[in-house]
């Protein structure tokens, strides 16, 4: 027993960090938001749109299973700025949006409300197209979404959902408020049935506690 105890003590402190990846995060968000459970309870398809800081994960849920999924390079923190509205960070995935809008912005430039609304509006449009199954090329991190039934309901989760549903008034020096507002219009063109999630900003974390994956080997 002592030898076994010493063996574990020697190995303690060695940790393996595993990154979930887009597919697993999409699945966890669908669990945590309640979309999968609602697809069973309501006996109708549910579309979960999880909008975070860097990506938007989309899961089409049918009878408690994710029938198809995709992920878009669109999120609130692709452009970050300070209280003085001067840009402090631009993620590489934001560059295609800036180029398409002909916005020549670099770190240190001022980004006003009008520019933030234009960027958020284009992101919301890309999210809508992804929901409709369009191939967005490099903006997609997973294959395009398979055809989804437009008669189903839609749920928005993730950090931006707090602005989408009007539950957050504070700002965090990013595009969250503008993206939430832009999505209200864009997603209204996708579904007439928008429901509130059981979990919004915490959907992925809650989903992680509900869904587990077991892998053989050392991970």
């Amino acid at each position: 027993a002592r030898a076994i105890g010493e063996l574990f003590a020697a190995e303690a402190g060695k940790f393996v960090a595993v990154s979930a990846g887009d597919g697993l995060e999409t699945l966890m968000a669908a669990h945590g938001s309640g979309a999968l459970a609602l697809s069973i309870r309501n006996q109708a398809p549910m579309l979960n749109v999880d909008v975070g800081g860097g990506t938007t994960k989309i899961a089409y849920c049918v009878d408690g299973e994710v029938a198809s999924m995709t992920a878009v390079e669109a999120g609130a923190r692709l452009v970050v700025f300070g209280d003085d509205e001067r840009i402090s960070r631009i993620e590489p995935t934001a560059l295609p949006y800036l180029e398409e809008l002909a916005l020549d912005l670099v770190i240190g430039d001022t980004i006003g409300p009008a520019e933030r609304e234009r960027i958020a509006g284009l992101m919301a449009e890309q999210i809508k197209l992804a929901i409709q199954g369009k191939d967005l090329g490099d903006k997609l991190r997973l294959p395009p979404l398979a055809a989804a039934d437009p008669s189903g309901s839609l749920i928005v989760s993730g950090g931006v959902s707090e602005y989408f549903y009007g539950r957050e008034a504070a700002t965090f020096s990013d595009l969250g408020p503008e993206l939430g507002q832009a999505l209200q219009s864009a997603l209204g063109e996708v579904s007439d049935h928008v429901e509130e999630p059981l979990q919004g900003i915490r959907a992925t974390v809650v989903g992680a506690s509900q869904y587990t994956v077991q892998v053989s080997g050392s991970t």
Side-chain angles (χ1 to χ4, degrees), residues 6-215:
E6 290 176 349
L7 175 64
F8 279 110
E11 292 298 318
K14 294 183 180 179
F15 297 93
V16 177
V18 180
S19 178
D22 298 306
L24 184 55
E25 286 185 9
T26 304
L27 188 60
M28 290 190 296
H31 272 276
S33 71
L36 284 169
L38 288 172
S39 71
I40 298 174
R41 191 183 75 184
N42 297 348
Q43 297 183 331
M46 299 292 300
L47 194 65
N48 192 71
V49 183
D50 188 81
V51 191
T55 58
T56 295
K57 280 79 68 178
I58 302 166
Y60 180 54
C61 309
V62 181
D63 296 329
E65 301 287 341
V66 174
S68 60
M69 66 174 74
T70 193
V72 190
E73 298 275 17
R77 298 190 68 79
L78 295 192
V79 178
V80 180
F81 45 89
D83 293 337
D84 58 358
E85 296 188 332
R86 291 193 178 277
I87 298 172
S88 59
R89 189 172 79 240
I90 299 177
E91 296 293 343
T93 49
L95 297 180
Y97 293 102
L98 300 182
E99 291 171 4
E100 191 168 339
L101 294 169
L103 291 174
D104 186 19
L105 295 173
V106 297
I107 292 175
D109 286 350
T110 299
I111 180 169
E115 292 161 315
R116 298 200 298 268
E117 288 172 8
R118 290 181 64 197
I119 298 169
L122 182 55
M123 285 186 188
E125 181 67 19
Q126 296 299 293
I127 293 169
K128 182 187 78 172
L129 292 175
I131 291 171
Q132 295 171 336
K134 307 298 183 183
D135 188 346
L136 305 180
D138 292 341
K139 289 192 181 80
L140 284 186
R141 296 169 62 96
L142 294 173
L145 192 73
D149 184 355
S151 65
S153 297
L154 183 148
I155 285 179
V156 180
S157 62
V160 176
S161 71
E162 302 300 301
Y163 295 105
F164 181 86
Y165 292 106
R167 296 190 297 226
E168 180 62 78
T171 58
F172 299 94
S173 302
D174 57 27
L175 303 173
E178 291 82 4
L179 186 52
Q181 185 172 9
L183 283 170
Q184 289 178 351
S185 174
L187 298 187
E189 300 175 17
V190 175
S191 174
D192 294 329
H193 310 286
V194 178
E195 298 191 23
E196 290 206 29
L198 300 179
Q199 291 289 338
I201 191 172
R202 300 178 183 87
T204 303
V205 175
V206 172
S209 71
Q210 297 173 325
Y211 186 85
T212 61
V213 174
Q214 202 166 41
V215 183

